């Protein structure tokens, strides 16, 4: 049994010979990282169709020295790098899914150090970064205190509704042992996300008996109830801080200009950095819907049937935040600063929403480098090695400062 | 030069030997009427695509003793049966178009005296009735005082917006000579339409700068303006008599649940039996739109652009009515009664809207027989000869009572 000193002091970690060796590996293997970014980007991974990329990523995990490699019930790829502690876990995740639908051409085009391709930065580079971290730690004999659970997760984008990480924290065998959570998502190293913007998304459908615009005039019209809801929402006061918003976004329904509609609908987005504000806004929307339906049923004739509404929650991302005094935040900020970046804390909606909402210390951290046009077909990243490796090194230092690294 | 006595006395007309001879022809040639209904029904005539049926109908006009047979600039088929008067015209029209889109199977299925087929009653039977009237008058040597202008017109249904008859009254060479107007549309002989329900139809589009639901929160949202318009419309008082109505009917717009929409729209139907009420309602809608846009531009940030609205009139059918003392109404009611029906006056939206709005005495009269499910693929009529011929006879008597018939 060897004795060892574990530290979470980021400057000490960065100064250690093992960490310097790990950075050397990141540098030597940078070309491999780039190849893996390309390989992963070119395996399409549309929402709810992440399996092909997951299988490839699982195979990459098998190629590393990881334990318990596999895919869980929702499709996340997981693998454990055992630490020397008591089995508590630091999750390091990147997401497998993209926003791009089936049939999107995911071929990567190279232009100098720039890679162009849908999803190349969001989040193929994050997935590849996880592999680079493990290889660097392995090559440099780095041991952590916490176990590291590497995760390539499904369902981060849009209607995926964070289902991969939600599953990890509610269903997986690891859920009770997680003491911290990194999602490596997005690029810029300076930006550290410590607050989760929560959102509820609804499709509110209003139904009624319909009828002829003249012959049945006076009959309840579900569009009147919908208009009253959107009108009421537009008159709702919400705080500037914590940032809170609502949006009546997408509309549809009705069959013909000369017919009272039987069915109209609106999709509404509610957001807040505060779960309490989000819940208040949510209650307001539901009250508006109930009041509007009741009012229209009083106003019009209901002989042929009443107006009724159904608010279906099509998105549910909890709000939350990680206390700035948590070790994970301090380690991240120290690492960012140590590698020459000016740290900037922000709020966003990412996989970190789930642990933050559960009180598990969590942050979103960049995978390094620069890029642009995420979520568009013109998405690109620059893998210019100096900045790229500096970003990867900062991320690894942040992870080790959180997990605790054994210096000898 | 022969001397002749012209009468518009319906009982005298019905009692005349020539009219009785004409009814005999309607009876003898009833099977031909049925064949022509089938032939016309089976030539598809979708909105704005009436040409094939128009060509066939024009050929049928050529087979009759009509003058000036041809198609006018908008596609109406016209032919003149010359009277002995001063050249003033009574129009007898039926519409060529159906509500059924291109590709609809228009095959007629026969089941005893029932004919099943889309458009068979609305208005193929009306078109065939015009042919039967001319043949009967020709065979019975009936001469009228007014010239009869037989018309198979385009664009009666939906977005056709009455463009065929609108053209006839605004552009055609006949427009200044028209002294009366029948549209033979619908079936039941007892129902006589003497009032035109007018309608304006709008697609009101609301545009704004759009943006991210959270990041750009506070920016003007065109959906707020739309909701205010529909809300205001729902609170609008309109009279029960003359019947007046509004309907917010069809909705669309917006791109994604997490984006402030750049463009939303609603289609609105406004109707009234009174042009003054229709114009009042129209002014109310436009004022609501202007007020809602101004309000939203005061409420929200317009740094990235303002909300603007455009109300495009997609339908315009003027209201109007024909005085019950007009000869055309009296002749119609007397004819209906004389052939054993209980007349019922109503208001509707038909080709007669145009002449009524211009002060030209006009009615809609049925083509006879019974049926159901008009505007559906299950449309059917019953051509049982007794009722069918009685209805045709009443229509012919109403036409002759309006045009004036020479008794010898």
């Amino acid at each position: 049994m060897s004795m060892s000193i574990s530290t979470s002091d980021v400057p000490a970690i960065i100064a250690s010979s093992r960490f310097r060796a790990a950075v050397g590996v990141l540098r030597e293997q940078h070309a491999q990282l780039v190849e893996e970014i390309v390989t992963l980007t070119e395996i399409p991974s549309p929402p709810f169709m992440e399996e092909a990329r997951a299988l490839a990523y699982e195979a990459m995990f098998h190629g590393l020295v990881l334990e318990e490699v596999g895919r869980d019930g929702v499709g996340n790829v997981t693998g454990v790098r055992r630490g020397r502690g008591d089995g508590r876990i630091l999750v390091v995740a990147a997401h497998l899914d993209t926003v791009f639908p089936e049939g999107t051409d995911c071929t990567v085009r190279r232009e100098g150090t720039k890679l162009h391709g849908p999803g190349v930065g969001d989040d193929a580079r994050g997935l590849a970064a996880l592999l680079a971290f493990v290889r660097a730690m392995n090559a440099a004999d780095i041991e952590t205190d916490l176990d590291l659970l590497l995760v390539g997760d499904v369902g981060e984008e849009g209607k995926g509704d964070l289902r991969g990480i939600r599953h990890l924290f509610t269903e997986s065998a690891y859920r009770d042992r997680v003491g911290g959570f990194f999602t490596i998502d997005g690029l810029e190293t300076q930006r550290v996300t410590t607050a989760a913007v929560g959102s509820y998304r609804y499709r509110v459908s209003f139904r009624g008996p319909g009828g002829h615009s003249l012959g049945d005039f006076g009959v309840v019209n579900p569009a009147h109830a919908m208009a009253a809801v959107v009108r009421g929402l537009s008159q709702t006061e919400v705080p500037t801080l914590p940032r809170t918003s609502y949006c009546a976004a997408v509309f549809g329904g009705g069959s013909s200009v000369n017919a009272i509609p039987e069915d109209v609908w609106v999709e509404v987005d509610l957001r807040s950095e505060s779960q309490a504000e989000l819940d208040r806004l949510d209650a307001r929307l539901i009250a508006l819907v109930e009041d509007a339906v009741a009012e229209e049923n009083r106003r019009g004739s209901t002989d042929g049937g009443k107006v009724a509404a159904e608010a279906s929650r099509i998105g549910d991302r909890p709000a939350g935040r990680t206390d700035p005094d948590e070790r994970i935040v301090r380690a991240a900020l120290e690492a960012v600063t140590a590698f020459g970046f000016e740290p900037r804390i922000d709020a966003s909606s990412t996989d970190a929403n789930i642990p933050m909402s559960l009180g598990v210390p969590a942050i979103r951290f960049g995978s390094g480098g620069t890029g642009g046009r995420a979520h568009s077909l013109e998405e690109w990243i620059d893998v210019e090695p100096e900045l790229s490796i500096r970003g990867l090194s900062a991320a690894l230092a942040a992870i080790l400062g959180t997990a605790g690294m054994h210096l000898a």
Side-chain angles (χ1 to χ4, degrees), chain A:
Chain A
M1 187 182 185
S2 70
M3 293 295 293
S4 174
I5 300 163
S6 161
T7 185
S8 59
D9 182 71
V10 169
I13 288 168
I14 293 172
S16 70
S17 58
R18 284 181 179 168
F19 185 82
R20 282 182 282 129
V23 170
V25 175
L26 291 175
R27 185 173 299 114
E28 286 157 25
Q29 303 190 347
H30 190 258
Q32 183 176 351
L33 173 89
V34 172
E35 294 312 309
E36 284 166 344
I37 292 170
V38 171
T39 299
L40 287 162
T41 303
E42 292 188 339
I43 303 168
S45 197
F48 299 94
M49 300 178 69
E50 301 98 338
E51 194 175 4
R53 187 178 288 184
L55 285 167
Y57 200 56
E58 186 183 11
M60 291 169 169
F61 270 19
H62 278 296
L64 301 170
V65 185
L66 292 174
E67 299 174 28
E68 302 175 25
V69 170
R71 282 182 300 135
D72 67 16
V74 75
N76 297 317
V77 177
T78 57
V80 173
R81 188 170 189 276
R82 195 71 64 201
R84 292 176 63 174
D86 59 3
R88 285 212 307 139
I89 287 172
L90 176 64
V91 174
V92 183
H95 66 85
L96 291 162
D97 59 313
T98 71
V99 298
F100 302 100
E102 202 177 0
T104 302
D105 180 0
C106 293
T107 309
V108 174
R109 180 168 58 83
R110 305 184 194 214
E111 197 176 75
T113 57
K114 285 188 181 169
L115 306 180
H116 300 257
V120 65
D122 182 15
D123 190 23
R125 182 176 162 105
L127 292 166
L130 263 54
L131 306 175
F133 298 154
V134 174
R135 276 198 301 266
M137 289 188 283
N138 290 353
D141 278 335
I142 287 176
E143 289 179 293
T144 55
D145 193 25
L146 300 185
D147 289 354
L148 299 182
L149 177 66
L150 288 302
V151 181
D153 60 274
V154 297
E156 194 272 341
E157 300 284 6
K159 293 190 175 167
D161 214 24
L162 313 182
R163 76 182 188 291
I165 295 305
R166 199 185 301 268
H167 178 91
L168 192 78
F169 278 93
T170 55
E171 307 289 332
S172 83
Y174 303 110
R175 65 177 190 263
D176 295 327
R177 289 161 50 204
V178 177
F181 180 95
F182 275 78
T183 179
I184 307 296
D185 190 4
L187 304 170
E188 287 78 6
T189 303
Q190 56 271 30
R191 192 163 73 86
V192 178
T193 301
T194 62
V197 176
S199 62
Y200 292 143
R201 290 163 176 180
Y202 285 97
R203 182 176 174 122
V204 192
S205 295
F206 301 81
R207 291 192 170 75
H212 188 274
S213 60
L214 178 68
D216 296 310
F217 181 67
V219 161
V220 286
N221 183 341
H224 294 169
M226 181 170 79
V229 169
V230 174
R231 175 92 178 131
L233 198 62
S234 78
Q235 295 169 333
T236 302
E237 297 288 335
V238 292
T240 310
L241 283 174
R243 276 200 304 168
T244 303
S245 71
Y246 52 80
C247 184
V250 189
F251 291 81
S255 58
S256 169
V257 67
N258 61 350
I260 301 168
E262 294 179 23
D263 181 15
V264 297
W265 53 266
V266 56
E267 289 183 358
V268 176
D269 177 80
L270 309 177
R271 296 200 185 202
S272 183
E273 292 173 17
S274 150
Q275 188 63 39
E277 288 296 337
L278 183 58
D279 287 338
R280 190 169 302 138
L281 192 53
D282 187 51
R284 161 84 173 155
L285 175 65
I286 299 305
L288 283 170
V289 171
E290 287 172 359
D291 291 352
V293 166
E295 184 191 0
E296 179 60 10
N297 283 329
R298 281 194 305 272
R299 187 205 64 79
S301 161
T302 58
D303 292 349
K306 291 186 170 190
V307 166
E310 187 183 6
S312 303
R313 208 181 260 186
I314 57 174
D316 176 359
R317 295 173 177 238
R321 59 191 293 276
T322 298
D323 192 286
D325 289 336
E326 288 285 350
R327 176 173 165 178
I328 194 170
V329 178
R330 285 184 290 114
L333 297 179
E334 285 171 21
V336 168
T337 305
F339 282 93
F341 300 93
E342 183 82 43
R344 182 162 55 79
I345 278 180
D346 76 357
S348 186
S349 177
T350 68
D351 274 335
N353 281 43
I354 298 291
M356 286 180 188
S357 75
L358 297 171
V360 174
I363 61 170
R364 186 210 58 76
F365 201 96
S367 62
T370 57
R373 304 298 307 277
H375 289 203
S376 87
L377 295 174
E378 283 69 45
E379 185 172 352
W380 62 275
I381 63 173
D382 193 333
V383 293
E384 181 280 311
E386 193 281 324
L387 187 66
S388 173
I389 293 162
R390 198 144 53 88
L392 292 165
S393 303
L396 182 58
I399 291 164
L400 293 174
T402 305
M405 172 178 156
H406 289 257
L407 289 177

